[in-house]
Amino acid sequence: MKRSMKRLTLLSVAVLSASTLMATDLTKAYDMPDASTLIEKDLLKEPTKFTLPKSCKLDDPLAIARGEYIFHNLNGKKAKKTPPKGLVKFVEKNGKKKPKQFGNCVACHNIEGAKGAGNIGPDLTGYKAMMIDTKARDAQFVYQKIADPRIDNPKTHMTVNLTTKLFNESEICDLTAYVMSDKSNTKK
């Protein structure tokens, strides 16, 4: 009987301690940041309309090469080849060398010469020929789609690149040049 009473007393103390702890307002025990302000910085700005800059050189072989490199690579650390002039594999951030983030467009899109091309986004194979046939999806259309695709598709899953500053205007020009280029000589 004594042993049962002792266990019951210990159990009662444990239950009382747990309920006291649960009733205690722990918000005073540690710093609680305002989550609404943290979320604010992660929210995207409103969709932004961009105009293809006159400085975009859509027929420049070097711009096309940079666009191809960006299109097929995720980051500099894993990029196999040396980047074309004007691109680097690593960037300096806060005094540390970090891999440069590229597009990895091929994760969702297929295009001539793609290895492991995705099938989530539209197939961009033969885009130049298609553009000549339709005229609707010109360089301005491609530039806008890469910069901020939400303009004509608010529910898109495509990355919002220029609005979020993942890419700059020059990099989006290079990607546009690559998508719009003639890739008939591309090796498969």
Side-chain angles (χ1 to χ4, degrees):
M1 182 81 165
K2 275 185 166 181
R3 194 176 270 180
S4 314
M5 286 298 286
K6 191 173 184 179
R7 283 186 185 161
L8 185 60
T9 305
L10 286 173
L11 183 61
S12 298
V13 168
V15 168
L16 283 172
S17 296
S19 63
T20 304
L21 183 61
M22 288 170 53
T24 304
D25 181 8
L26 294 177
T27 61
K28 307 282 187 281
Y30 56 89
D31 184 31
M32 290 187 54
D34 180 5
S36 61
T37 57
L38 294 174
I39 291 171
E40 287 291 318
K41 67 181 181 181
D42 288 337
L43 294 176
L44 290 174
K45 296 177 187 174
E46 290 297 313
T48 306
K49 190 153 179 76
F50 293 100
T51 302
L52 178 75
K54 292 185 189 293
S55 60
C56 280
K57 304 283 188 244
L58 301 177
D59 57 355
D60 176 22
L62 195 51
I64 294 168
R66 286 190 301 264
E68 180 178 18
Y69 190 88
I70 293 168
F71 192 98
H72 292 276
N73 288 288
L74 175 59
N75 66 47
K77 184 173 154 184
K78 293 186 178 185
K80 304 268 187 266
K81 298 177 182 176
T82 303
K85 185 178 178 184
L87 288 180
V88 293
K89 284 188 174 186
F90 296 92
V91 292
E92 189 86 20
K93 282 190 180 179
N94 301 327
K96 294 182 181 178
K97 196 175 178 181
K98 299 202 176 207
K100 166 74 173 138
Q101 294 302 302
F102 297 114
N104 198 30
C105 311
V106 75
C108 295
H109 298 280
N110 188 24
I111 200 162
E112 294 89 344
K115 291 184 176 115
N119 60 2
I120 295 170
D123 187 341
L124 302 173
T125 304
Y127 195 89
K128 183 171 180 83
M130 181 178 67
M131 195 264 319
I132 292 168
D133 292 343
T134 64
K135 301 265 187 217
R137 297 182 174 210
D138 61 1
Q140 173 57 47
F141 176 85
V142 174
Y143 185 86
Q144 179 64 54
K145 271 296 191 195
I146 298 168
D148 194 337
R150 301 171 301 156
I151 285 295
D152 66 347
N153 183 0
K155 294 184 180 187
T156 186
H157 293 290
M158 186 166 162
T159 306
V160 177
N161 293 298
L162 191 53
T163 300
T164 60
K165 297 184 177 24
L166 290 172
F167 289 126
N168 60 38
E169 278 187 355
S170 177
E171 291 164 328
I172 294 176
C173 284
D174 292 344
L175 280 164
T176 302
Y178 175 61
V179 170
M180 302 289 299
S181 69
D182 177 14
K183 293 175 247 357
S184 58
N185 295 329
T186 302
K187 294 176 187 172
K188 297 226 176 196

